[in-house]
Amino acid sequence: MSEPKPDTCPAIRLRGIAFDWKGKHGFALDIPQLEITIGEKVFLSGESGSGKSTLLSLICGIVTPDAGQLEVNGTDLTTLSARQKDRLRADQIGLIFQQFNLLPYASPLENILLPLSFSAKRSQRVSAPQQEALRLCQALGLSEAQVSKAATSDLSTGQQQRVAVARALIGGPSVVIADEPTSALDAASQSAFVDLLIEQVEAANATLLMVSHDTRLAQHFDRSISMAELVQRGDIT
Ligand SMILES: Nc1ncnc2c1ncn2[C@@H]1O[C@H](COP(=O)(O)OP(=O)(O)OP(=O)(O)O)[C@@H](O)[C@H]1O
């Protein structure tokens, strides 16, 4: 179930998605269609509160649509149990959060290796985990001394962001989802960080969907879409 299908199906495919956060003033999201092909790097923008994070949560299987189809590598998440969705997410999706969600008192290396303990599939793809973590860190501009620090909270914001990327990429997930990963960085570092992220996503042959408010970053991507476009007329690939 949780192995990517080897054919030409899109990495992400949504059809007729309807979702609302239940409650008195529940926010509703309707997305006629969205298709992201394997290896594509897509930039997603939208006003605050337009539903970007909600859409990412749907794609990751964290929340379930009320209607429609939502496929990741050809598997329709709406047909899976909660446990199967957790497995698919652990095996196939690398996540980078706005606030990094790193364990502050664990070392950077321990943080990076964490996804391997949640996914046998990702673990199997890495024969020497420590070396692979160091290789990723080196590619992302983190020195061995920085990665070897006792606590991740001892690193700078930019360094922690790189740790978060290495954690998302380890074990070769086929899809990388990044929610405002540059918001804690200064303007000068943002562009360089996105270049680095894209370079590593390409090296891993992964698909990238990144959310940001900063539309200047869109130029680094294969395609840029906005929530307004998605919701009003659907996404045409
Ligand atoms: N867990 C939740 N429960 C109820 N409502 C929620 C929840 N998460 C988000 N919402 C609501 O859904 C709407 C869209 O929020 P979402 O975080 O998806 O937007 P966003 O475009 O990512 O915003 P921002 O750019 O400010 O992060 C908001 O009205 C928000 O209050």
Side-chain angles (χ1 to χ4, degrees), residues 89-97 100 102 111-116 122 125 132 136 140 160-179 181 193 197 200-201 204 206-208:
R89 183 166 60 251
D91 289 345
Q92 297 189 33
I93 301 180
L95 286 166
I96 307 168
F97 302 93
F100 320 153
L102 298 168
N111 268 295
I112 294 167
L113 294 174
L114 207 56
L116 303 184
R122 280 171 78 167
R125 291 188 206 117
E132 174 60 2
L136 279 166
L140 289 161
Q160 290 190 37
Q161 193 55 294
R162 286 165 163 75
V163 170
V165 174
R167 182 184 58 178
L169 290 170
I170 198 154
S174 55
V175 174
V176 174
I177 303 273
D179 194 357
F193 171 81
L197 171 63
Q200 290 310 303
V201 163
T207 302
L208 174 64

Side-chain angles (χ1 to χ4, degrees), residues 178-199:
D179 194 357
E180 304 260 13
T182 60
S183 59
L185 305 178
D186 59 56
S189 312
Q190 289 186 358
S191 178
F193 171 81
V194 169
D195 276 339
L196 213 49
L197 171 63
I198 288 182
E199 196 181 291

Side-chain angles (χ1 to χ4, degrees), residues 98-115:
Q98 188 171 359
Q99 302 302 333
F100 320 153
N101 290 16
L102 298 168
L103 302 174
Y105 302 114
S107 73
L109 208 52
E110 285 165 339
N111 268 295
I112 294 167
L113 294 174
L114 207 56

Side-chain angles (χ1 to χ4, degrees), residues 21-22 27 46-55 98 180 213:
W21 290 111
K22 309 288 181 258
F27 168 84
E47 287 176 11
S48 182
S50 59
K52 302 180 297 297
S53 298
T54 301
L55 174 56
Q98 188 171 359
E180 304 260 13
H213 281 109

